[in-house]
Amino acid sequence: MRQNLRRHASGKIHQSRTSTQNGGESLANQINHQINEHSALLHGTFQNRNGQPYYEDERTYVRWPASFGHTAWQTLTSNPVNVLLVFVPIGIAFGATHGNPTVIFILNFLAIIPLASLLSFATEELSVKLGQTLGGLMNATFGNAVELIVSIVALKNGEIRIVQASMLGSILSNILLVLGCCFLAGGIKHSEQNFNSTVASTMSSLMAVSTASLIIPATLYASMGPSKSHDTKKDNILILSHGTSVILLILYGLYLFFQLKTHARLFDAESEPAAGEEGDEGSGHKEAHILSPWAAGVALVLVTVAVAICAEYLVDSIDSIVQTAHISRTFIGLILLPIVGNAAEHVTAVVVATKNKMDLAIGVAIGSSMQIALLVTPFLVILGWIIGQPMSLQFEIFETVVFFLAVLVTNYLISDGKSNYLEGAMLIGMYIIIALAFYVYPD
């Protein structure tokens, strides 16, 4: 009898321990499940009960908002400079309330930098979907959209000096600062880098033609002498500028046809390094295709509108900046504005240079300068002709000489198809010298 009681009691105790252990395990499982859910939320995986991401959920009312949020997040995290997007609403708000002009200038200056990055990102996404030919046209149209928008706003307000300085500054920034940073960053990681000298020489030859288009009006104006009146000289320069701009636009169109159609084989080497490294970075390349054509088009429109608004407030505050900070209009247009417009190109070119893709870096730096010289500047001259603004290709003698020397030095450095960190340091040093010269250069 005592033995039966002991067996019964021990069975109860064992059952109690087992139930306690099971209860503890189930409680632990619940806690772990909740921790996993919170960890998933913290890491952004956002999955439903079936383990699917919410942007792939079968329920439409769940999938569409989640897909929009997922795409927006990928777009915003595509470039580190997008953290500056917080300045966009702040800059617009200060501009709308007519606050301190210096604060308005700084806020909108910082706001345009991430907008330029998003504009470049949306253009690349749309270009991939449209193919090579249309993609090239899209890059030609939107690649320098920030400079174009700022210049159109300034041209509408009659700020001819700002427009001319911004165009020249964009070219100098690309062929000296951007290309110099590419050579320096790539040369530090690689002792010597090679690139397609044929493509580079073709681009530099077109840059030499654009240099001549600025030298001829400046020398013509100087050679007229005091025998003719100032108005007569200006009229003659405008006639020359209008005709030259039409020719430059035709040359740029022929270059696009040359690059994309008749002599595309010359530019094939530019894509071979990228294709050769597809195994290392192929996954990243695929992940970059985030936006659909419609989404990229909508993003382009929205970002362009935001850039136009910020550019309007930026240009309107320039007069106050000149008076309060004692900085010339030429320095603002030549040094400060190009830094804003070329921010995304700076980052892109330096990143691909460190990956030993120098053909892509050359295409970004010199190709963008060529777009400014052969497409954007002539377009602004024709636009000024249409709206009645005396925009011409006549730059100051000092500016023309600086442009000529910059193109000359760049052509020398890229002629051998090789680069190193010393050549990059030379280009950056020359850009700093030019910046200092224009800082003390009077309007």
Side-chain angles (χ1 to χ4, degrees):
M1 182 68 179
R2 290 180 180 178
Q3 292 179 352
N4 291 335
L5 288 175
R6 287 176 182 176
R7 290 176 184 175
H8 181 73
S10 62
K12 288 289 185 182
I13 293 172
H14 178 73
Q15 185 178 2
S16 175
R17 289 177 179 176
T18 304
S19 60
T20 303
Q21 291 177 354
N22 292 336
E25 291 177 357
S26 62
L27 180 61
N29 291 334
Q30 292 177 2
I31 294 174
N32 290 331
H33 180 69
Q34 291 178 356
I35 291 175
N36 291 332
E37 284 185 349
H38 289 297
S39 299
L41 291 175
L42 290 174
H43 290 85
T45 53
F46 296 110
Q47 296 178 349
N48 57 20
R49 294 180 179 179
N50 297 328
Q52 292 179 325
Y54 282 120
Y55 57 86
E56 296 179 359
D57 197 282
E58 297 178 355
R59 296 165 294 181
T60 304
Y61 64 90
V62 174
R63 184 175 67 252
W64 284 7
S67 178
F68 176 80
H70 179 71
T71 303
W73 176 254
Q74 286 186 305
T75 302
L76 293 176
T77 56
S78 62
N79 198 312
V81 301
N82 290 338
V83 298
L84 298 177
L85 284 171
V86 295
F87 291 105
V88 175
I90 299 176
I92 294 176
F94 268 81
T97 56
H98 305 287
N100 189 322
T102 303
V103 176
I104 293 175
F105 181 87
I106 295 174
L107 290 176
N108 287 282
F109 182 90
L110 295 174
I112 291 179
I113 295 176
L115 291 176
S117 172
L118 289 178
L119 199 63
S120 174
F121 175 80
T123 303
E124 292 174 359
E125 293 291 305
L126 189 60
S127 300
V128 170
K129 304 298 188 299
L130 295 179
Q132 185 182 27
T133 304
L134 291 178
L137 293 176
M138 291 299 299
N139 281 313
T141 304
F142 289 99
N144 295 293
V146 174
E147 294 97 328
L148 182 61
I149 293 172
V150 173
S151 299
I152 290 176
V153 173
L155 183 63
K156 179 176 65 72
N157 295 341
E159 298 278 1
I160 305 297
R161 287 298 303 148
I162 292 293
V163 177
Q164 290 181 330
S166 177
M167 293 298 98
L168 181 59
S170 295
I171 297 173
L172 295 177
S173 174
N174 278 296
I175 64 176
L176 294 179
L177 182 60
V178 178
L179 191 61
C181 289
C182 291
F183 286 177
L184 181 63
I188 292 175
K189 189 173 182 180
H190 310 277
S191 60
E192 187 177 75
Q193 295 177 290
N194 300 319
F195 51 86
N196 191 333
S197 59
T198 304
V199 174
S201 68
T202 301
M203 292 182 176
S204 59
S205 299
L206 287 170
M207 288 299 300
V209 172
S210 66
T211 305
S213 69
L214 299 186
I215 294 177
I216 292 174
T219 53
L220 175 63
Y221 184 85
S223 64
M224 286 182 183
S227 58
K228 293 185 178 181
S229 64
H230 178 74
D231 293 337
T232 303
K233 291 181 181 180
K234 287 294 184 183
D235 291 339
N236 292 337
I237 293 298
L238 283 176
I239 293 173
L240 174 62
S241 299
H242 296 159
T244 304
S245 298
V246 173
I247 294 173
L248 291 178
L249 290 173
I250 293 174
L251 285 177
Y252 186 75
L254 289 175
Y255 168 74
L256 287 180
F257 189 72
F258 179 88
Q259 178 188 18
L260 302 175
K261 204 72 176 174
T262 59
H263 290 70
R265 64 184 184 280
L266 296 177
F267 297 84
D268 288 343
E270 189 171 342
S271 60
E272 286 175 3
E277 298 178 13
E278 187 176 359
D280 298 334
E281 301 176 18
S283 59
H285 182 69
K286 292 179 181 178
E287 290 176 1
H289 309 326
I290 298 169
L291 302 178
S292 65
W294 281 104
V298 172
L300 282 175
V301 173
L302 294 178
V303 174
T304 303
V305 171
V307 170
I309 296 173
C310 293
E312 182 78 32
Y313 293 132
L314 183 73
V315 173
D316 289 342
S317 62
I318 287 178
D319 289 335
S320 299
I321 289 292
V322 171
Q323 296 174 2
T324 58
H326 305 290
I327 300 176
S328 66
R329 283 183 173 83
T330 304
F331 183 79
I332 292 175
L334 197 83
I335 303 300
L336 297 183
L337 295 183
I339 292 176
V340 174
N342 296 328
E345 295 168 357
H346 285 204
V347 176
T348 301
V350 172
V351 168
V352 298
T354 56
K355 296 177 181 178
N356 204 23
K357 299 181 180 181
M358 288 307 298
D359 286 310
L360 299 178
I362 293 288
V364 171
I366 300 183
S368 180
S369 299
M370 195 173 58
Q371 288 177 7
I372 293 289
L374 298 179
L375 177 65
V376 178
T377 304
F379 170 77
L380 290 172
V381 173
I382 300 298
L383 180 62
W385 187 13
I386 295 173
I387 65 177
Q389 293 289 350
M391 172 68 184
S392 69
L393 294 176
Q394 183 218 343
F395 288 70
E396 298 295 330
I397 295 294
F398 176 68
E399 298 170 357
T400 307
V401 171
V402 166
F403 182 36
F404 170 75
L405 292 176
V407 173
L408 182 66
V409 170
T410 304
N411 287 352
Y412 271 125
L413 293 181
I414 67 175
S415 60
D416 60 349
K418 300 177 181 178
S419 65
N420 52 62
Y421 71 89
L422 180 60
E423 294 180 348
M426 286 189 285
L427 290 174
I428 296 174
M430 185 172 182
Y431 182 79
I432 295 174
I433 293 173
I434 292 174
L436 291 174
F438 278 106
Y439 182 77
V440 299
Y441 180 74
D443 280 329

